[in-house]
Amino acid sequence: MGIVKEKYQIDHYQTIRAGFDGPVCFLQIYRPEANNTINDLVADECKDFLQTYKDSIHILVVEGLPEVFCFGADFQAIVQNLSSGKE
């Protein structure tokens, strides 16, 4: 029996999980409490991750949760940002 390797070794982000299996990078959107809707933090963390690991990524597999890939934009966050004066 071989060693089972954790798929998501990079876990210092709040809204994404990521890991490598050789040249293949797995990036999972991880906001189960919000049905994986995309907010500013998800976008910022994806950008940071991709910039940090761009030289190591040969194939990128973007994944969601087993229940839902992504529900789209987080409209509640958009409304909150507009209400608080953020753009």
Side-chain angles (χ1 to χ4, degrees):
M1 185 180 220
I3 297 172
V4 176
K5 189 164 88 171
E6 176 64 34
K7 186 175 185 178
Y8 303 109
Q9 305 97 4
I10 302 166
D11 62 358
H12 60 271
Y13 293 101
Q14 293 178 37
T15 62
I16 63 172
R17 297 192 297 182
F20 286 87
D21 186 3
V24 180
C25 174
F26 295 90
L27 176 69
Q28 182 187 47
I29 303 166
Y30 190 73
R31 290 191 71 214
E33 74 286 351
N35 287 318
N36 269 8
T37 52
I38 304 296
N39 64 3
D40 289 340
L41 185 57
V42 173
D44 290 343
E45 288 185 346
C46 285
K47 180 181 174 183
D48 179 75
F49 174 81
L50 294 171
Q51 183 66 34
T52 300
Y53 294 96
K54 66 182 176 188
D55 294 334
S56 301
I57 299 171
H58 298 277
I59 299 168
L60 178 64
V61 178
V62 179
E63 302 175 310
L65 298 171
E67 303 82 25
V68 61
F69 174 73
C70 174
F71 264 31
D74 186 341
F75 289 110
Q76 288 181 326
I78 292 170
V79 169
Q80 286 177 336
N81 286 343
L82 291 173
S83 297
S84 67
K86 292 182 182 178
E87 291 187 24

